[in-house]
Amino acid sequence: MLYQRRYNAHYLSESEIIYPAGGVIVIHDHLQKKQKFIRLQDKHKPIKSLVLAPNRRWLALNEIAEEGQKPIITIYDLTTYKRRKILTVPFENSTAREFACIQFTFDSKYLVAITGEPDWCLYYYNWDKGKVESHAKAQNPSGQGTVESVQCNPSDATLVVITGPYTFRIMNVSETVWRQWGWCKAENIAITSCMWLTPDRILFGTENGVIMMVENGELRQNCIFRAAEVTEFSLKKVEAEAEEGDKTSTTSKQDSTSDSTVSLDESQPVTCFVNFAKGFAYACGPGYVHMFEKETPHHWRKRNLFRISRKSYKHTREHPVWSNLDAIQHITIDPNQETLLITTLRKQLYHVKLFGQHMLQNPEIPFTELGPSMHYGPINSLSMCAWKPIFMTSGEQDKSIRIWNYMTDDVEMIKLYQEEIHCVSLHPAGLFAIVGFSDKLRFMVVLIDDFEVMREFPIRNCKQAKFSTNGHLFAAVNGQVIQVFSSVSFQNVYNLKGHNGRITCLAWSANDLTLVSCGTEGAVYEWSMSSGQRVGEVILKTNQFKACAVNSIGKTTYGLGTDGEIKEIGSNTIRRNLGLIGCALDTIVLSRSDMMLFVTGGDGGVTSVQLPLLDKAVFNEFHMHNKKVTCIALAYDDQTLVSVAEDASICLWRLTNADGRAIALEKDFAYSKEILISKKDLQEKINNINLLSTRMSELETEHTYQLRQAEATQAEKLKEVHEGYCAAIEELKEKNELMESEHTHEIGMIQQDIAKLRSGHERTLQALEADFNVRLINEYDRYQSLEDKTARMRKDYEERLEELAESKLQALREINNMFEAKLEEKDLLLQELQEQTDLERREHETIKASIEEDADREIIEIRTAYEVQLKEEKDANVRLKGETGLMKKKLISANKEIDEFKHQVSQLKAEHKQFQKVISTLERDVADLKKEISERDGTIQDKEKRIYELKRKKQELEKYKFVLNFKITELKNQIDPLERNIKAKKLRILELEESLETLLKQRSFRELKISQLNEKLASAKKDYLNEADRNAMLKNTLKKIKIDLHNMTANFQDPMKLKSNVKTLFHKYVEDIDFVRSRVAEDEAIREFNRQRDHLEKQVTALKQQLAKSLGGSKSDIGKIMDENCTLLAEINSLRTELKSTRSRCFQMESMLGLSARYIPPATARAKLKHVTEDRDKLDEGFKQKIEEREEIIIALKEENERLLGKIRCVENSGTATEDPDGAKNEMY
């Protein structure tokens, strides 16, 4: 149910996962199997990505806008599950429909977002205030490449890295201005994923499976790794590397060219980098996740390799094959760093324990599915069971049938098919099902873990099929005919004809006496199941009916279709026509109690309609899906509603009444728990249980024996350890005492040194005090002399100051007298100038009077002219004021444009500098290319000469070719009879090989039989000899006892002697402990041997039964089983021989100790063994002679074949040699 996007699943806590499904955001607690939902405002907008804030409190939804609208980022509060803020592009001229990527800063206060094409603009949001603090151009200045990811620094909110195919930019913001920083030459590197490894290191992966590192803004040329092969990252400082050499990784590093491009073989891209406190992980390869553990701040070592196991695809594919759908889209880590979660293009979550087994113990740890295995692709059919809490679904794209349990929210059975599945229907008992395939309709038995086909019906592409309410009938659509079959006899009871269009729905009444059908031609027909006749009809050609439902008594039918209205039909008329949601309706379901009606329509809406229908419909609409709902179904108890949609989402609804209480159940209602299992499967399971139980008992005995041995060895080791421990304690005590004595001696020495140092310091202190007193007296005398000198200097300076003051007063008097004389001269000059000004004033007044008269006359003329002009100017001024207001607005907009142009100019200048650098490099390349062209001109002339010579040779070779063609035809005529002879000999070889196989099988079978008979004969002889020896020994003992008793009769008269004789007799024959022990040990050995022989004979009989069973199979299986049986028999024989050798050693030891008299010398044993195995050796020799003869024949035939094939190769080589000159000439051209 996951969207096919990256960043689509996150951990909220150790057990809660958030992901999008249908038209909601799901918060899934996978431990308690509970879900919470965040319902989206606009349910039909596609979601680009989900981004979780680092504090796990805020969730950002990146939504793709419709045509002509701006993209939106919605922030949700995950404590209240409510919408907190909506962010969008602030500028009107933006044409982007989506944000390419978004990311929170490390403190969760800011959000960085980059719009998609064609803008590629970076926006830095203070999302809590809902404003853009700064923005910049995110794409490369050259305009090359696209942006797919933005990653914020883990400790600096103003530093981000922008990556994508052929794009890498580290950008820093300062006072709302973004500046590029560090390395950015990625024009030839297809970057697929990136992350901040540390606050100063960036790791990024490429499309060809390479990982590179940027440290402090510089590309580390010696830190280039192959993602699939690297086992450790050792990222030391550059200075240390320069001294130590290339010690940064155990993998082979690639040579880098200009602009940091690498030439590597094609491999899988590196995607989904994720960093956490204990390490980092990334995806590379088909379903692989590589996890590295942090050992030091500069060293990471590969710890695990995780992979989506092929076993996990038993639910999705019968023969698992890696495909693009298995590509990993997102990786996330839980807050406790214990679990790793991934998503793929399949609608499934996978998880694995992060720090489990090391890769040295388990090279590949498989992912496990989180939750039930979901459909991939649309779900086209749904059927509910009455007796059990299960329902069945079928997938249109994945071609699978699944049985779900809505009480446990889990999938119980999955079966995949090669054919397309069009419809399913589950029997009310839950033990049978009908499935419509593309070729046939199949009636199946639902077993414990499989579906078994019971009957097939020749109905192709059956779109609709349904069991009756009681299950004794089922109806199936065959074209435009409805065929009704018996579920018991499988007879075709009725063929219901009447529809002219595609039949879209079938509905049975509760008593199974009525069947209602509807079609796209606008007809709703009611059929009687007692007569097979049509008893009611309603035809409405303006509407295409999609679904219908009938009440329990079969009198009222509800239909819906493309006109978006519910039609209540009864007595062949439409009683009511009620509109609902204003769009076409798709499916309908009516409860068993006829009190609830549910319909679906539009894009994923489920509507509950109140019954009985009134003139105006009363309904409630609920949204969980965001695609069309294909089917809905109600449980038998009317408490659970199941809806499935085209986006493979399944929604379970718990139904309550208006007061919030559950609907009342029948008193004796209980679900069935019975299942079906075939007799063959049951017998196999019983056999497996018996086999495992016997194996378990054997393992228990073996384990107890091993445990006893281990306890004995451990006790000995413990004793040794205890002795060593006691010796170590004594040694440590001695060392401790020695160290204490040394410590006291050292303390005494230290105290003596301290006393010496203290006396020395006191003496030096007294000497220093005397020295400083002498120096202090000298300094005081010097101070007195300097004070007298300063007093004399002060007196001299005061006398000099008095002399300077008197000289200044004298100079001031002289300057005063000089300036007074100059002042008198200026007064005389001023009087003369005053008289001249009086004369000039009078002349000016006369001229002024004449000018004023002229001016008055001119003023009157000008006033009249200017008044006219003023009126015109006022009118113009009013007009200009209006224009000025417009110009001010234009000026404000122009200023904004000027600011933007200045920003663009600065960007263009930076681009210009980069272009100049590129031009200089290109000019150098042009010069190199010109030089290369001149060199190639020379080589072309040489090649033309060579071509002329080759043309001449070609003519000669054509002549030679004609001669060779003639020879080839002759050789072909000679080869044909040889080929026929080869084919005949090949057939003969095959016949001989078949006969050889049969002989080998017969030989192995006879050898096996001979070995078994020899073993039985040897064991029987051994038992006979043992019993004979035992009998003889007992007879001798009895004879001795009789002799001793006869001797005792002489002492009947003497009781004391008789008593002593009885005691000696008792001690001699009864209380001989060694004798008793030897007999007990011997009896136990015999019992153990008999038990092992019985066990081995049972195994041999079981293997014979398996061999007989497998002989009915294919020939390849027989050969395989024969090989396995031979190996098992060889093991059994080896065990038997080992047992015999141990028994013989035991008997030899007993005879050496004098406990047994049944010792057989080696010469006699060897003679008997030779006598027993003499016939077998003769048979072996006979078979070996036959095999050697056959092998000689095969070798001769192989040599003949090789000789003929060598002749054929010589002929072919001579033919190709004639054609080579023409090929060489064509290659030169």
Side-chain angles (χ1 to χ4, degrees), residues 27 32 100 130-131 182 206 276 340 351 416 510 568 625 682 700 707 799 822 849 977 1017 1132 1144 1228:
I27 300 169
Q32 299 182 2
K131 67 176 184 178
T206 65
F276 53 98
L340 183 140
H351 71 109
L416 290 98
E568 183 180 349
H625 307 278
L682 183 62
E700 283 179 357
L707 193 64
E799 290 176 355
K822 286 182 180 181
L1017 181 62
I1132 290 165
S1144 64
M1228 291 304 295

mmCIF file of all heavy atoms in Angstrom, residues 27 32 100 130-131 182 206 276 340 351 416 510 568 625 682 700 707 799 822 849 977 1017 1132 1144 1228:
data_model
loop_
_atom_site.group_PDB
_atom_site.id
_atom_site.type_symbol
_atom_site.label_atom_id
_atom_site.label_comp_id
_atom_site.label_asym_id
_atom_site.label_seq_id
_atom_site.Cartn_x
_atom_site.Cartn_y
_atom_site.Cartn_z
ATOM 1 N N ILE A 27 -0.213 5.601 10.993
ATOM 2 C CA ILE A 27 0.751 5.412 12.093
ATOM 3 C C ILE A 27 0.486 4.016 12.641
ATOM 4 O O ILE A 27 -0.507 3.777 13.319
ATOM 5 C CB ILE A 27 0.582 6.490 13.172
ATOM 6 C CG1 ILE A 27 0.808 7.878 12.558
ATOM 7 C CG2 ILE A 27 1.561 6.249 14.317
ATOM 8 C CD1 ILE A 27 0.410 9.003 13.448
ATOM 9 N N GLN A 32 1.577 -4.087 18.716
ATOM 10 C CA GLN A 32 0.208 -4.253 19.188
ATOM 11 C C GLN A 32 -0.799 -4.440 18.064
ATOM 12 O O GLN A 32 -1.983 -4.647 18.314
ATOM 13 C CB GLN A 32 -0.198 -3.037 20.029
ATOM 14 C CG GLN A 32 0.655 -2.845 21.269
ATOM 15 C CD GLN A 32 0.189 -1.651 22.087
ATOM 16 O OE1 GLN A 32 -0.797 -1.002 21.744
ATOM 17 N NE2 GLN A 32 0.893 -1.365 23.160
ATOM 18 N N ALA A 100 11.185 19.314 -5.661
ATOM 19 C CA ALA A 100 12.009 18.134 -5.960
ATOM 20 C C ALA A 100 12.443 17.429 -4.681
ATOM 21 O O ALA A 100 12.494 16.201 -4.635
ATOM 22 C CB ALA A 100 13.221 18.535 -6.789
ATOM 23 N N GLY A 130 5.967 30.627 8.924
ATOM 24 C CA GLY A 130 5.361 30.538 7.604
ATOM 25 C C GLY A 130 5.940 31.500 6.591
ATOM 26 O O GLY A 130 5.224 31.940 5.681
ATOM 27 N N LYS A 131 7.210 31.870 6.708
ATOM 28 C CA LYS A 131 7.799 32.827 5.775
ATOM 29 C C LYS A 131 9.125 32.281 5.240
ATOM 30 O O LYS A 131 9.781 31.451 5.854
ATOM 31 C CB LYS A 131 8.022 34.174 6.449
ATOM 32 C CG LYS A 131 9.078 34.164 7.540
ATOM 33 C CD LYS A 131 9.321 35.550 8.090
ATOM 34 C CE LYS A 131 10.448 35.572 9.124
ATOM 35 N NZ LYS A 131 10.719 36.925 9.621
ATOM 36 N N GLY A 182 33.375 25.409 -1.727
ATOM 37 C CA GLY A 182 34.073 24.138 -1.900
ATOM 38 C C GLY A 182 33.941 23.567 -3.290
ATOM 39 O O GLY A 182 33.585 24.242 -4.265
ATOM 40 N N THR A 206 27.446 7.100 -6.634
ATOM 41 C CA THR A 206 27.222 7.363 -8.044
ATOM 42 C C THR A 206 26.448 6.219 -8.670
ATOM 43 O O THR A 206 26.202 5.188 -8.057
ATOM 44 C CB THR A 206 28.560 7.548 -8.777
ATOM 45 O OG1 THR A 206 29.274 6.313 -8.741
ATOM 46 C CG2 THR A 206 29.395 8.630 -8.105
ATOM 47 N N PHE A 276 23.601 7.089 11.222
ATOM 48 C CA PHE A 276 23.126 7.042 12.611
ATOM 49 C C PHE A 276 24.339 7.013 13.522
ATOM 50 O O PHE A 276 25.490 6.955 13.048
ATOM 51 C CB PHE A 276 22.195 5.850 12.846
ATOM 52 C CG PHE A 276 22.745 4.517 12.429
ATOM 53 C CD1 PHE A 276 23.322 3.666 13.345
ATOM 54 C CD2 PHE A 276 22.679 4.118 11.109
ATOM 55 C CE1 PHE A 276 23.819 2.447 12.969
ATOM 56 C CE2 PHE A 276 23.170 2.888 10.713
ATOM 57 C CZ PHE A 276 23.756 2.058 11.650
ATOM 58 N N LEU A 340 16.422 -2.020 11.341
ATOM 59 C CA LEU A 340 16.539 -1.315 10.059
ATOM 60 C C LEU A 340 15.324 -1.667 9.212
ATOM 61 O O LEU A 340 14.964 -2.840 9.090
ATOM 62 C CB LEU A 340 17.834 -1.720 9.354
ATOM 63 C CG LEU A 340 18.152 -1.013 8.034
ATOM 64 C CD1 LEU A 340 19.639 -0.699 7.951
ATOM 65 C CD2 LEU A 340 17.764 -1.861 6.840
ATOM 66 N N HIS A 351 12.014 -5.582 7.373
ATOM 67 C CA HIS A 351 12.835 -5.132 8.501
ATOM 68 C C HIS A 351 13.822 -6.227 8.868
ATOM 69 O O HIS A 351 13.655 -7.407 8.512
ATOM 70 C CB HIS A 351 11.961 -4.752 9.706
ATOM 71 C CG HIS A 351 11.327 -5.932 10.374
ATOM 72 N ND1 HIS A 351 11.709 -6.396 11.606
ATOM 73 C CD2 HIS A 351 10.338 -6.768 9.969
ATOM 74 C CE1 HIS A 351 10.993 -7.442 11.942
ATOM 75 N NE2 HIS A 351 10.143 -7.699 10.960
ATOM 76 N N LEU A 416 -0.218 -18.615 -6.109
ATOM 77 C CA LEU A 416 0.056 -17.889 -7.337
ATOM 78 C C LEU A 416 -0.225 -18.767 -8.541
ATOM 79 O O LEU A 416 -0.054 -19.992 -8.484
ATOM 80 C CB LEU A 416 1.519 -17.415 -7.382
ATOM 81 C CG LEU A 416 1.868 -16.311 -6.403
ATOM 82 C CD1 LEU A 416 2.504 -16.902 -5.177
ATOM 83 C CD2 LEU A 416 2.760 -15.291 -7.037
ATOM 84 N N ALA A 510 -31.729 -14.070 0.434
ATOM 85 C CA ALA A 510 -31.338 -14.857 1.609
ATOM 86 C C ALA A 510 -31.878 -16.286 1.537
ATOM 87 O O ALA A 510 -31.229 -17.222 2.014
ATOM 88 C CB ALA A 510 -31.822 -14.170 2.885
ATOM 89 N N GLU A 568 -34.335 2.254 -6.046
ATOM 90 C CA GLU A 568 -35.051 1.221 -5.292
ATOM 91 C C GLU A 568 -36.089 0.620 -6.231
ATOM 92 O O GLU A 568 -36.998 1.319 -6.717
ATOM 93 C CB GLU A 568 -35.721 1.830 -4.056
ATOM 94 C CG GLU A 568 -36.409 0.798 -3.194
ATOM 95 C CD GLU A 568 -37.059 1.420 -1.977
ATOM 96 O OE1 GLU A 568 -36.807 2.617 -1.700
ATOM 97 O OE2 GLU A 568 -37.832 0.729 -1.302
ATOM 98 N N HIS A 625 -9.476 5.310 0.881
ATOM 99 C CA HIS A 625 -8.754 5.018 -0.358
ATOM 100 C C HIS A 625 -8.625 6.303 -1.186
ATOM 101 O O HIS A 625 -9.400 7.255 -1.016
ATOM 102 C CB HIS A 625 -9.496 3.966 -1.184
ATOM 103 C CG HIS A 625 -9.819 2.721 -0.438
ATOM 104 N ND1 HIS A 625 -8.920 1.707 -0.248
ATOM 105 C CD2 HIS A 625 -10.965 2.323 0.184
ATOM 106 C CE1 HIS A 625 -9.490 0.728 0.439
ATOM 107 N NE2 HIS A 625 -10.734 1.082 0.725
ATOM 108 N N LEU A 682 -1.749 -35.756 5.159
ATOM 109 C CA LEU A 682 -1.837 -36.144 6.560
ATOM 110 C C LEU A 682 -0.902 -37.315 6.864
ATOM 111 O O LEU A 682 -0.204 -37.317 7.890
ATOM 112 C CB LEU A 682 -3.278 -36.514 6.896
ATOM 113 C CG LEU A 682 -3.578 -36.885 8.350
ATOM 114 C CD1 LEU A 682 -3.279 -35.716 9.259
ATOM 115 C CD2 LEU A 682 -5.017 -37.326 8.511
ATOM 116 N N GLU A 700 18.564 -37.582 21.862
ATOM 117 C CA GLU A 700 18.580 -37.462 23.320
ATOM 118 C C GLU A 700 19.614 -38.389 23.937
ATOM 119 O O GLU A 700 20.391 -37.986 24.816
ATOM 120 C CB GLU A 700 17.193 -37.770 23.872
ATOM 121 C CG GLU A 700 16.205 -36.610 23.698
ATOM 122 C CD GLU A 700 14.830 -36.969 24.229
ATOM 123 O OE1 GLU A 700 14.663 -38.132 24.659
ATOM 124 O OE2 GLU A 700 13.944 -36.106 24.198
ATOM 125 N N LEU A 707 26.960 -35.363 26.970
ATOM 126 C CA LEU A 707 26.912 -34.524 28.166
ATOM 127 C C LEU A 707 27.739 -35.132 29.295
ATOM 128 O O LEU A 707 28.469 -34.417 30.001
ATOM 129 C CB LEU A 707 25.458 -34.352 28.598
ATOM 130 C CG LEU A 707 25.170 -33.272 29.644
ATOM 131 C CD1 LEU A 707 25.494 -31.897 29.084
ATOM 132 C CD2 LEU A 707 23.716 -33.323 30.054
ATOM 133 N N GLU A 799 63.033 78.900 36.274
ATOM 134 C CA GLU A 799 63.730 80.135 35.874
ATOM 135 C C GLU A 799 63.607 80.352 34.371
ATOM 136 O O GLU A 799 63.378 81.480 33.900
ATOM 137 C CB GLU A 799 65.206 80.028 36.271
ATOM 138 C CG GLU A 799 65.418 80.083 37.797
ATOM 139 C CD GLU A 799 66.872 79.867 38.161
ATOM 140 O OE1 GLU A 799 67.666 79.586 37.218
ATOM 141 O OE2 GLU A 799 67.209 79.920 39.373
ATOM 142 N N LYS A 822 48.653 100.977 10.998
ATOM 143 C CA LYS A 822 47.958 100.488 9.803
ATOM 144 C C LYS A 822 46.466 100.794 9.856
ATOM 145 O O LYS A 822 45.833 101.122 8.838
ATOM 146 C CB LYS A 822 48.148 98.976 9.664
ATOM 147 C CG LYS A 822 49.543 98.572 9.205
ATOM 148 C CD LYS A 822 49.613 97.063 9.043
ATOM 149 C CE LYS A 822 51.003 96.627 8.574
ATOM 150 N NZ LYS A 822 51.104 95.185 8.396
ATOM 151 N N ALA A 849 14.506 105.135 -11.831
ATOM 152 C CA ALA A 849 13.156 105.639 -12.088
ATOM 153 C C ALA A 849 12.735 105.320 -13.525
ATOM 154 O O ALA A 849 11.612 104.873 -13.776
ATOM 155 C CB ALA A 849 13.129 107.150 -11.845
ATOM 156 N N PRO A 977 29.411 -39.003 -46.910
ATOM 157 C CA PRO A 977 29.341 -40.412 -46.419
ATOM 158 C C PRO A 977 29.959 -40.583 -45.044
ATOM 159 O O PRO A 977 29.486 -41.398 -44.241
ATOM 160 C CB PRO A 977 30.128 -41.187 -47.490
ATOM 161 C CG PRO A 977 30.950 -40.191 -48.208
ATOM 162 C CD PRO A 977 30.189 -38.920 -48.181
ATOM 163 N N LEU A 1017 24.587 -63.243 7.228
ATOM 164 C CA LEU A 1017 25.247 -64.519 7.457
ATOM 165 C C LEU A 1017 26.338 -64.396 8.525
ATOM 166 O O LEU A 1017 26.438 -65.237 9.434
ATOM 167 C CB LEU A 1017 25.862 -65.019 6.138
ATOM 168 C CG LEU A 1017 26.578 -66.381 6.176
ATOM 169 C CD1 LEU A 1017 25.593 -67.497 6.552
ATOM 170 C CD2 LEU A 1017 27.208 -66.670 4.822
ATOM 171 N N ILE A 1132 26.196 -47.326 5.994
ATOM 172 C CA ILE A 1132 25.736 -48.394 6.904
ATOM 173 C C ILE A 1132 26.799 -49.491 7.006
ATOM 174 O O ILE A 1132 27.117 -49.999 8.093
ATOM 175 C CB ILE A 1132 24.404 -48.968 6.405
ATOM 176 C CG1 ILE A 1132 23.286 -47.913 6.606
ATOM 177 C CG2 ILE A 1132 24.040 -50.250 7.128
ATOM 178 C CD1 ILE A 1132 22.029 -48.225 5.849
ATOM 179 N N SER A 1144 35.411 -56.978 18.265
ATOM 180 C CA SER A 1144 36.567 -57.880 18.284
ATOM 181 C C SER A 1144 37.637 -57.361 19.247
ATOM 182 O O SER A 1144 38.260 -58.150 19.982
ATOM 183 C CB SER A 1144 37.133 -58.029 16.869
ATOM 184 O OG SER A 1144 37.622 -56.794 16.407
ATOM 185 N N MET A 1228 39.571 -2.727 -43.578
ATOM 186 C CA MET A 1228 40.407 -1.550 -43.869
ATOM 187 C C MET A 1228 39.555 -0.402 -44.387
ATOM 188 O O MET A 1228 39.777 0.763 -44.085
ATOM 189 C CB MET A 1228 41.478 -1.915 -44.888
ATOM 190 C CG MET A 1228 42.542 -2.871 -44.335
ATOM 191 S SD MET A 1228 43.352 -2.218 -42.863
ATOM 192 C CE MET A 1228 44.156 -0.795 -43.587
#
